[in-house]
Amino acid sequence: MILASLLFALVAALLHVYIFTMESITWTKPATWKRFSLTSQADAETTKPLAYNQGFYNLFLAIGALAGIVAIWAGAPQVGWTLVFSSCGSMLLAALVLAASGRKYLRAAVLQGTTPLLAVVLGIVALLLP
């Protein structure tokens, strides 16, 4: 179950790196801003600083989860699980906030929150079982 938890944490981290790429690197490309329900290039330009900042939040969450996975495999499980639970827990909470923002965000929230949820739940179960 530990392996499954860490695989879900890895997928969650990679998804958040992808989100970082969209928000901080490709935000003003039509394919990206349309994905985020913006209606014009002008809106993309106006919201670019906000998206850029938000993208880095996603990147830092991903880095935390990846560092936790590496720490667990390197023999520092206390540090590793702390990072995995903190990073994936934050991803999950952010997905809940997104879901609470409106029905149109529900699909994105489920996509964003499922893998960190599984990482946290499976990790807790694995650590509680002998």
Side-chain angles (χ1 to χ4, degrees):
M1 216 167 305
I2 288 175
L3 180 59
S5 173
L6 296 180
L7 286 174
F8 282 116
L10 176 62
V11 172
L14 294 175
L15 174 62
H16 280 74
V17 169
Y18 176 65
I19 294 168
F20 156 76
T21 302
M22 289 189 295
E23 292 175 338
S24 297
I25 298 172
T26 66
W27 184 255
T28 56
K29 294 184 188 264
T32 300
W33 57 257
K34 287 177 183 176
R35 175 170 279 165
F36 285 86
S37 301
L38 296 180
T39 57
S40 70
Q41 187 68 39
D43 288 346
E45 294 297 336
T46 300
T47 58
K48 184 178 177 180
L50 177 65
Y52 184 78
N53 187 10
Q54 186 170 303
F56 274 91
Y57 276 91
N58 283 299
L59 179 63
F60 299 147
L61 290 174
I63 290 170
L66 293 170
I69 293 166
V70 169
I72 291 166
W73 287 108
Q78 295 86 354
V79 171
W81 284 113
T82 299
L83 287 168
V84 168
F85 289 147
S86 177
S87 296
C88 288
S90 294
M91 291 174 192
L92 176 58
L93 292 172
L96 292 173
V97 170
L98 184 60
S101 298
R103 291 189 72 141
K104 73 178 189 175
Y105 301 111
L106 192 55
R107 182 178 180 269
V110 169
L111 178 65
Q112 181 180 322
T114 300
T115 51
L117 171 65
L118 291 169
V120 169
V121 169
L122 292 174
I124 290 170
V125 170
L127 294 175
L128 292 178
L129 294 178

